[in-house]
Amino acid sequence: EEILGVLVPRLTDLTKSDCIWQRICWRLVECVPDRWMEAVVLGFVQRAPGADVLSRLLGNLVVKNKKAQFVVTQKILLLQYGHTTAVLQNVLGYLSLDGLRRTLLLRVLQELLETWSSSSAVKHSPAEQQLYISKAILICLSHLKEPEIESCRQELLTSMMEGMKCHLDSNLPQLRHLGMVVAESISFKINTEGPVLKFEYEEDDETRELKSLLVQTPSFYVVPSLPDDDRNEKAGAALPLVPESNEKSYTATPVMPDEESDAELDSDDDLIPYDMSEDKELKIKAPVYIRDCIEVLTGTRPEDVDKWEATVKALESLVRKNPAATREVSVELAKILLHLEEKTCIEGFVELRQRAQVAVLATDPIPVAKYLTSQFYSLNYSLRQRMDILDVLVLAAQELSCPKFHGKTKHSSAQKPCIQLLLGSDSSKDWRRIVDERIKSKTRRFVMGHSRVELASHPNKFNSVAGYFFFPLIQHFDRPLTTFDLLGEDHLVLGRLVHTLAILMYLAVNTVAVTAMGKALLEFVWVLRFHTDSYVRQGLLSCISSLLTSVPTEQILADMTEELLETQSWLGDVMEKDPDGDCRRLALQNLLLMENLKKKLEAVPS
């Protein structure tokens, strides 16, 4: 580092215009022993200000030296992922600046695409490495010329289709976005004239950086490739065609006989516009009974669309105002809402339907929870409906378990202190209160503290129904159906199910069934602990956190000692070896929770 920090800038200046110094530099790096080659090449790559400078300093070293070739084409690109984008641009730009090295560029692109399109690599490598490989692919594509693209068009198309499928199957939004951006870029390169892929996603800084790698020139001194110039010329030539055709279409419309145009103008002159300034929009009244709502939501008449909209908007408040009437038809109403589809374009329809479902479930928990949990494992439901069921269960459990806040402001008489004695009361019994109020009235307070909010005590409604939410969901996860396989291709729903169980476990703190729920959840986690999807593993680790914080420590040690020891060993392996950073963080958090529980038990006197 010390040597190259001085040597590279000096050699950069000397080789700028002197070919003899370039040959001296090439000979210098070619004579480096193999055991030092990696450190020297990596130092030159990291300190070179651009790909053209690196090309002057190294020459065709990667063609002549196998060790240097391995470092540049394999180690930096495929085996490591901590380098900056500038290093990637230096390496790939260096490979593209000479005819002998361009064969290595094509080979590197092929290997990068193989890794990017491998489902095993997508599942078992961290998201940071996937981002690193995606950047390298886009930089390679920016250096390809039209004949090279034509020669490997079929390979690019095959890799694009396989890699796009692997990334879109992932549960992590970042990986899905990476797949979309790279697939769009490959499609843009191989389909210069026809239609290209276009996905809908929200652009962020990461996606904008990826797209810039495809269109920006990696080096300051490299002339832009011809295909881009040709494409710009084609686009520039195509631009005037649109206004020309528009001019023709616009100029063609007025060409009509003068008599017909005059006749139309004359016919319009006699019409007097109506005064609509005082018109008011007719408001459709929403139903006031639950059964009327059911009739409207299940009706098929097209003229009831306005009434249907009003019913959907008012259903939640109607359910909460009429709990007795809701309980009579709760299961039927839950079934209707689960299958309800949007007839018209209502703003926030999904949220309105979900809030109505939560209100029904919170009003009549046991029968509605039985119905929803049974439908989760039934046939003929879409994945979206199954995930809606999980969301409704979580929101309703949260509503049932959390106490309501009633703010009671103390010192309410501080503004106008006064003493009020009831007639006929014995003042000797209230002397302390009278003195306190008199002192308060005479005391000047320059700063008043914040008013305290007292929590009014409410029974935990989730206590008696937690089992109906939890146990049916955990029973049949390993039984595949014709259209639903949690342990197979439907791992997205499995991830949502695992996170839902973790939340239900967390909300069940201080309930009667919490110990039984904890034992069942620990067995569930143990079965799935080696799942290949990182989103599922994150949910499993969240389940362990919920269990450790919800189940009483005495019950954990009495009923789950052996299981916890095995879990602790598994958490240690996850913290050290799991490729996903969030999984490692959650495993460390769980180990710290276990350590805190151990310290608390040691502090308690026997």
Side-chain angles (χ1 to χ4, degrees):
E1 183 178 353
E2 296 296 330
I3 294 174
L4 293 181
V6 177
L7 190 62
V8 171
R10 183 66 177 150
L11 289 176
T12 300
D13 294 335
L14 291 173
T15 57
K16 189 174 296 183
S17 58
D18 194 337
C19 60
I20 296 178
W21 269 107
Q22 288 185 15
R23 290 181 176 273
I24 293 173
C25 189
W26 298 348
R27 183 65 178 164
L28 176 66
V29 293
E30 287 172 7
C31 293
V32 173
D34 284 348
R35 59 179 177 176
W36 298 338
M37 183 61 72
E38 179 181 347
V40 171
V41 170
L42 188 57
F44 271 85
V45 167
Q46 290 175 336
R47 286 165 181 78
D52 60 323
V53 176
L54 187 64
S55 181
R56 292 203 314 264
L57 297 177
L58 298 183
N60 285 331
L61 177 67
V62 292
V63 180
K64 299 176 181 180
N65 189 288
K66 293 294 182 183
K67 179 71 173 181
Q69 185 181 122
F70 172 76
V71 172
V72 172
T73 62
Q74 296 287 324
K75 196 158 189 177
I76 293 178
L77 298 175
L78 294 171
L79 302 180
Q80 300 173 347
Y81 58 92
H83 300 295
T84 62
T85 307
V87 170
L88 286 176
Q89 290 176 329
N90 281 350
V91 169
L92 298 171
Y94 162 72
L95 294 178
S96 69
L97 290 178
D98 187 85
L100 293 175
R101 302 195 295 262
R102 290 194 73 86
T103 56
L104 294 177
L105 178 69
L106 294 174
R107 194 178 78 186
V108 163
L109 177 60
Q110 183 181 2
E111 292 174 351
L112 287 169
L113 287 173
E114 287 178 0
T115 305
W116 180 76
S117 59
S118 170
S119 60
S120 177
V122 173
K123 289 180 181 178
H124 296 97
S125 59
E128 294 82 6
Q129 186 171 10
Q130 291 293 319
L131 176 62
Y132 186 81
I133 291 175
S134 300
K135 288 180 179 179
I137 290 173
L138 295 180
I139 296 173
C140 284
L141 290 174
S142 69
H143 290 296
L144 290 186
K145 297 179 180 179
E146 193 65 39
E148 294 168 337
I149 295 175
E150 193 64 35
S151 64
C152 61
R153 188 183 302 274
Q154 189 58 42
E155 290 82 356
L156 287 173
L157 180 61
T158 304
S159 300
M160 180 190 73
M161 298 302 294
E162 293 177 356
M164 182 173 60
K165 181 181 182 301
C166 296
H167 283 77
L168 293 181
D169 283 344
S170 174
N171 293 334
L172 301 177
Q174 183 184 10
L175 293 187
R176 292 200 296 269
H177 289 168
L178 286 178
M180 294 176 191
V181 174
V182 176
E184 284 181 353
S185 304
I186 297 175
S187 174
F188 174 73
K189 280 291 184 180
I190 64 179
N191 298 323
T192 55
E193 297 179 356
V196 298
L197 278 177
K198 188 65 179 175
F199 294 96
E200 293 184 1
Y201 54 86
E202 293 184 3
E203 286 198 0
D204 52 11
D205 294 338
E206 185 176 286
T207 56
R208 281 189 286 270
E209 181 190 3
L210 288 171
K211 290 183 177 181
S212 69
L213 296 177
L214 186 69
V215 296
Q216 288 183 354
T217 305
S219 176
F220 296 103
Y221 300 97
V222 179
V223 179
S225 56
L226 290 177
D228 292 338
D229 296 340
D230 295 341
R231 189 177 299 114
N232 291 336
E233 291 177 4
K234 291 178 182 178
L239 285 176
L241 295 178
V242 177
E244 186 178 347
S245 60
N246 290 341
E247 286 179 5
K248 290 181 180 179
S249 61
Y250 289 137
T251 54
T253 50
V255 178
M256 55 188 299
D258 295 337
E259 296 178 0
E260 293 182 9
S261 61
D262 293 341
E264 289 186 5
L265 291 174
D266 293 340
S267 63
D268 292 340
D269 288 342
D270 298 335
L271 296 178
I272 300 174
Y274 287 103
D275 184 13
M276 303 179 66
S277 59
E278 297 183 358
D279 285 7
K280 296 180 180 179
E281 184 180 355
L282 294 177
K283 293 184 179 180
I284 305 298
K285 290 185 178 180
V288 294
Y289 298 106
I290 299 294
R291 293 188 182 274
D292 293 341
C293 294
I294 293 176
E295 292 180 4
V296 173
L297 294 178
T298 55
T300 57
R301 291 185 298 176
E303 61 270 13
D304 291 341
V305 170
D306 294 334
K307 197 169 186 179
W308 185 88
E309 290 185 8
T311 302
V312 172
K313 293 178 180 178
L315 184 57
E316 182 201 1
S317 60
L318 196 59
V319 167
R320 297 190 183 278
K321 291 177 182 177
N322 301 278
T326 302
R327 292 188 186 97
E328 296 177 359
V329 292
S330 57
V331 176
E332 182 182 358
L333 188 56
K335 181 178 180 180
I336 293 171
L337 290 172
L338 183 60
H339 294 85
L340 189 64
E341 295 181 357
E342 189 174 5
K343 289 184 178 180
T344 61
C345 185
I346 303 179
E347 184 178 358
F349 168 76
V350 176
E351 183 182 359
L352 290 171
R353 183 183 62 180
Q354 185 185 75
R355 287 164 56 181
Q357 288 177 293
V358 172
V360 174
L361 179 54
T363 303
D364 198 10
I366 294 178
V368 178
K370 285 182 178 179
Y371 170 75
L372 291 177
T373 52
S374 66
Q375 297 307 299
F376 180 77
Y377 288 108
S378 297
L379 292 169
N380 303 324
Y381 279 97
S382 65
L383 299 184
R384 178 69 265 171
Q385 287 175 306
R386 299 182 198 275
M387 289 190 287
D388 286 343
I389 291 174
L390 296 177
D391 292 339
V392 170
L393 289 171
V394 166
L395 292 173
Q398 187 175 7
E399 180 179 331
L400 291 171
S401 63
C402 294
K404 298 179 181 179
F405 291 89
H406 296 276
K408 292 185 178 180
T409 307
K410 290 187 176 182
H411 309 296
S412 58
S413 60
Q415 296 289 338
K416 295 180 181 180
C418 60
I419 301 173
Q420 295 180 353
L421 296 178
L422 297 177
L423 295 176
S425 63
D426 188 2
S427 60
S428 61
K429 297 179 181 179
D430 297 332
W431 67 269
R432 185 176 294 278
R433 179 178 61 83
I434 296 171
V435 171
D436 290 341
E437 291 183 358
R438 188 172 298 166
I439 293 173
K440 189 185 295 183
S441 65
K442 300 293 184 180
T443 303
R444 295 182 61 190
R445 300 185 184 273
F446 296 98
V447 179
M448 293 293 294
H450 293 289
S451 59
R452 298 180 183 179
V453 178
E454 294 183 353
L455 292 181
S457 59
H458 287 273
N460 186 353
K461 297 180 180 179
F462 191 58
N463 181 22
S464 58
V465 300
Y468 296 97
F469 284 67
F470 183 85
F471 290 110
L473 289 179
I474 212 171
Q475 283 180 347
H476 306 301
F477 72 94
D478 56 345
R479 299 181 187 177
L481 302 174
T482 307
T483 58
F484 188 46
D485 185 8
L486 278 177
L487 300 183
E489 59 184 6
D490 297 324
H491 48 82
L492 172 62
V493 186
L494 177 62
R496 295 288 295 273
L497 171 64
V498 174
H499 282 83
T500 299
L501 294 173
I503 296 172
L504 293 177
M505 185 75 223
Y506 176 76
L507 295 175
V509 62
N510 299 327
T511 59
V512 176
V514 67
T515 305
M517 290 170 62
K519 292 182 67 175
L521 187 61
L522 195 57
E523 293 177 3
F524 174 79
V525 170
W526 197 249
V527 172
L528 298 173
R529 67 189 185 280
F530 296 125
H531 200 278
T532 57
D533 192 273
S534 58
Y535 182 65
V536 175
R537 296 199 304 275
Q538 291 172 16
L540 295 174
L541 293 166
S542 299
C543 288
I544 299 295
S545 301
S546 300
L547 186 150
L548 294 175
T549 54
S550 298
V551 181
T553 308
E554 297 79 7
Q555 297 295 330
I556 291 178
L557 294 178
D559 300 335
M560 310 176 217
T561 306
E562 295 182 1
E563 292 88 343
L564 277 182
L565 291 175
E566 294 176 346
T567 302
Q568 188 174 15
S569 175
W570 167 62
L571 290 174
D573 291 339
V574 172
M575 187 183 68
E576 295 177 357
K577 303 175 183 178
D578 198 289
D580 186 75
D582 290 333
C583 289
R584 296 195 298 270
R585 179 181 57 80
L586 287 170
L588 176 60
Q589 176 182 325
N590 287 330
L591 289 173
L592 292 175
L593 284 174
M594 288 185 174
E595 190 67 24
N596 291 336
L597 291 177
K598 182 180 177 182
K599 290 180 179 178
K600 286 181 181 179
L601 290 176
E602 291 175 352
V604 175
S606 57

